[in-house]
Amino acid sequence: MKKILMICFVAVLSSCTKDFLDRSPLDAIGTANFWKNSQDAYLGLNGVYDVLQDPAVYGGSLNNGAAGLPMYDCFGDNLYNNYKFEGPGLFMEGTIDPSHYFFSGLWNSCYKGIFRANSVLENIPNIPAGNISDAERAQLSAQALFLRALFYMNLAVYYQDAPLILKTQAVSEGYVAKNTYQEISDQVIKDLTTAANALPMSYPSSQYGYATKGAALGILARFQLYNKNYQAVLDATNALMSLGYGLNPSYSQLFTEQGENSNEIIFSVRFNEDVSKNRENFSSTYAGIPRVDEQPMPNMVKDYYCTDGKPITTSPLYNPGTPTNNTPQKNNRDPRLLASVYFKGDIFITDINKAFSGNTATTYGLKKYIRNKNYPDGTGVFAGGGQDFIVIRYADVLLMRAEALLGSGTTAGVSALVNQVRARVNMPSVESVEGSNLSLGTLQAIVRHERRVELAFEGLRYFDLKRWGTVQSAAQTAAADNVTGYSPTYRAGGKSEIFAIPLKELDANENLKQNPVWQ
């Protein structure tokens, strides 16, 4: 496995905080000359955070590489990946194979991050006591555990079985076999639990972006929910909800650079447009069409309720428009739709007053997270930007807790959690529309719908579909939209629910075997 056979530590300094961006990189500093003091420890740790900015992880791309995690709503019924070669489009149509670079992207980046995290964990304990405080040693090690767990969580969720490597390796040690999902899962939970117990609730403003106790609890809750360990989710969310997070007053602002310091954000990956190596492309777009490789699907647009809290199929407020003019559809709708989707005639690049002509295959344009103007320094909307990507936020925590309550067989408190999320955008409460004393099944449908519209286009849809066992029905829903040039299908046997181990990794390591569903 080429990306695991790394025998020298190359920590390319990036930033988990934007104030650190002017510091020098660590390109080729040998371990014999490094790991001497707390400054080295911080630099080494920043090298782990740097991997989160990889295009295949959270940095994203625009017509120049494999899709990153921000695009994972394209796996399912939320978005159409028009540039199918980026990965999701081919995956959804069942025409991708293990040799495609999409599968290598996330795999390689995760193991690069794991190697760097292991190096931090091995070397920080050896820094002389007079050169680093005990508190710094514990805190930095806890951050490395958090990051390693985040990388392994993504490997486990998407590839299922993968090598579990917990120390740096010599070449002779690198040809390893797969571990089971359960073994990886146990390690992720162990690392996140340890990190949550050691991390602080916050940092000085100059270190904003480092993982906190809340970040560890939030990712722990997410992974435990995926594993259907509902009591563990309730325990983690209960602890997290006491840490002072809240909902940002403006939903739309949250996904702009102006909302990056919101109290709703529990953990985000930081980017800076002013520093070329720290830019992102998940918010990039073209000047002639909004984010053409991610197009909102018609069924997704229809799933947003009207402002009376009713579906478009029953609300008298809904106006479907015409086949050539969908603009009336946006009237009297959930404000989250207007913050997330462009309709024909909407201005999508404000500094040149560019209107969306409806020239996408789905007739809708992606708005959420996407830049709507060029930077003052002349950087275009199609170039690298400085928008942070939110990995987990408080609204997600509220909805995870609601789902865990239902999973535990409890309906009490579920409506109140959903109501908090709805109230932020002035949508009616559950009681005022759906009613009181609702069954567990009815509340489950409400929570799942709320997750879809609240978290749309944040890369979590496929994660949810896999957990709910609804990947196949989502593929059928997407196919029913009849988008020109798009033929989504469900591949029986698991190929639509598990990523293939990259063929190059199998060729390089005879001990590594392909997932059975891809053999």
Side-chain angles (χ1 to χ4, degrees):
M1 300 168 59
K2 294 183 295 181
K3 295 298 180 180
I4 298 179
L5 298 178
M6 301 174 66
I7 57 175
C8 64
F9 179 66
V10 181
V12 180
L13 174 62
S14 168
S15 166
C16 66
T17 80
K18 295 191 176 182
D19 290 342
F20 289 177
L21 293 168
D22 58 352
R23 298 189 183 181
S24 302
L26 298 179
D27 297 344
I29 296 179
T31 55
N33 299 316
F34 198 59
W35 303 113
K36 300 297 185 183
N37 51 46
S38 62
Q39 181 182 16
D40 291 349
Y42 276 104
L43 293 175
L45 180 66
N46 285 348
V48 190
Y49 279 98
D50 168 69
V51 181
L52 298 178
Q53 296 179 328
D54 280 7
V57 189
Y58 295 106
S61 63
L62 182 65
N63 189 26
N64 62 349
L69 291 167
M71 286 184 63
Y72 277 28
D73 271 31
C74 294
F75 295 105
D77 47 4
N78 280 9
L79 288 170
Y80 167 40
N81 174 218
N82 188 46
Y83 289 168
K84 299 174 187 178
F85 57 83
E86 294 175 323
L90 295 178
F91 188 91
M92 286 296 296
E93 292 188 327
T95 57
I96 198 169
D97 64 64
S99 67
H100 196 279
Y101 60 80
F102 167 75
F103 294 125
S104 298
L106 182 63
W107 179 278
N108 291 344
S109 288
C110 283
Y111 278 111
K112 178 170 65 174
I114 288 164
F115 175 87
R116 294 183 181 184
N118 286 341
S119 185
V120 171
L121 291 166
E122 288 178 11
N123 285 288
I124 282 183
N126 299 325
I127 296 176
N131 295 344
I132 188 171
S133 69
D134 290 342
E136 284 181 310
R137 197 189 306 271
Q139 179 206 107
L140 297 178
S141 295
Q143 289 188 61
L145 286 174
F146 167 83
L147 293 168
R148 185 172 72 178
L150 182 58
F151 291 124
Y152 268 126
M153 182 187 75
N154 285 322
L155 286 168
V157 167
Y158 298 113
Y159 297 91
Q160 195 174 72
D161 299 338
L164 179 63
I165 301 168
L166 302 177
K167 65 184 185 68
T168 55
Q169 296 174 312
V171 173
S172 59
E173 301 173 305
Y175 299 96
V176 295
K178 291 186 301 185
N179 290 81
T180 65
Y181 175 88
Q182 188 60 54
E183 289 172 325
I184 300 172
S185 177
D186 290 345
Q187 189 64 47
V188 169
I189 292 168
K190 178 181 178 181
D191 283 356
L192 289 172
T193 301
T194 302
N197 289 331
L199 288 170
M201 290 190 292
S202 64
Y203 296 92
S205 59
S206 63
Q207 294 183 340
Y208 180 75
Y210 276 149
T212 60
K213 178 183 291 291
L217 288 170
I219 298 301
L220 178 61
R222 176 176 291 174
F223 192 54
Q224 293 281 28
L225 187 63
Y226 186 80
N227 289 330
K228 298 181 172 60
N229 295 326
Y230 298 119
Q231 186 56 53
V233 179
L234 295 175
D235 292 341
T237 54
N238 183 62
L240 203 160
M241 291 169 67
S242 69
L243 298 181
Y245 295 101
L247 297 176
N248 197 61
S250 169
Y251 180 83
S252 60
Q253 184 207 47
L254 190 58
F255 309 101
T256 68
E257 291 187 49
Q258 289 69 44
E260 290 178 342
N261 295 319
S262 169
N263 190 46
E264 181 168 349
I265 298 172
I266 298 172
F267 182 69
S268 61
V269 179
R270 312 220 70 196
F271 295 93
N272 194 324
E273 183 270 331
D274 294 332
V275 181
S276 61
K277 289 185 177 181
N278 291 278
R279 293 179 176 179
E280 47 73 25
N281 283 108
F282 71 84
S283 75
S284 302
T285 187
Y286 289 114
I289 184 171
R291 189 72 191 188
V292 66
D293 60 341
E294 294 180 87
Q295 301 178 16
M297 294 288 286
N299 79 86
M300 174 75 247
V301 174
K302 293 175 182 177
D303 212 17
Y304 288 90
Y305 291 165
C306 290
T307 51
D308 58 5
K310 297 179 180 179
I312 63 171
T313 53
T314 60
S315 174
L317 301 178
Y318 181 63
N319 183 343
T322 67
T324 58
N325 181 22
N326 62 25
T327 302
Q329 295 178 7
K330 69 181 182 179
N331 298 329
N332 305 311
R333 300 292 292 281
D334 185 329
R336 290 171 291 193
L337 171 62
L338 305 185
S340 304
V341 175
Y342 285 119
F343 290 79
K344 185 176 180 179
D346 289 347
I347 302 300
F348 75 98
I349 303 183
T350 59
D351 54 343
I352 60 173
N353 202 38
K354 178 67 175 181
F356 174 42
S357 65
N359 56 336
T360 60
T362 68
T363 73
Y364 304 104
L366 183 59
K367 182 177 183 179
K368 190 178 193 178
Y369 265 133
I370 308 306
R371 275 172 271 154
N372 63 1
K373 61 183 176 181
N374 298 291
Y375 280 99
D377 65 4
T379 300
V381 292
F382 50 83
Q387 171 67 52
D388 292 354
F389 185 81
I390 303 169
V391 177
I392 191 162
R393 57 189 180 92
Y394 191 62
D396 189 1
V397 171
L398 296 175
L399 295 175
M400 287 195 295
R401 184 170 180 82
E403 185 174 334
L405 286 169
L406 294 172
S408 300
T410 301
T411 60
V414 172
S415 293
L417 291 164
V418 174
N419 289 342
Q420 287 186 62
V421 178
R422 289 184 177 182
R424 185 247 299 274
V425 290
N426 296 314
M427 287 294 287
S429 67
V430 172
E431 292 83 358
S432 64
V433 180
E434 289 93 347
S436 303
N437 301 316
L438 300 173
S439 69
L440 191 147
T442 298
L443 283 170
Q444 182 185 71
I446 289 171
V447 170
R448 290 185 179 186
H449 173 269
E450 199 65 28
R451 280 193 67 84
R452 190 183 193 194
V453 297
E454 173 67 25
L455 303 171
F457 318 137
E458 296 179 40
L460 294 173
R461 181 62 171 171
Y462 190 47
F463 185 90
D464 287 347
L465 294 173
K466 282 164 60 67
R467 182 174 76 255
W468 296 334
T470 55
V471 174
Q472 183 173 6
S473 63
Q476 294 168 345
T477 299
D481 277 340
N482 294 315
V483 174
T484 301
Y486 187 38
S487 301
T489 186
Y490 181 81
R491 303 175 77 178
K495 282 189 176 180
S496 289
E497 304 196 26
I498 299 171
F499 289 174
I501 295 176
L503 182 60
K504 289 183 178 180
E505 303 298 332
L506 301 175
D507 291 342
N509 178 8
E510 63 180 11
N511 295 319
L512 184 63
K513 306 302 180 184
Q514 183 62 271
N515 191 296
V517 306
W518 282 92
Q519 290 177 350

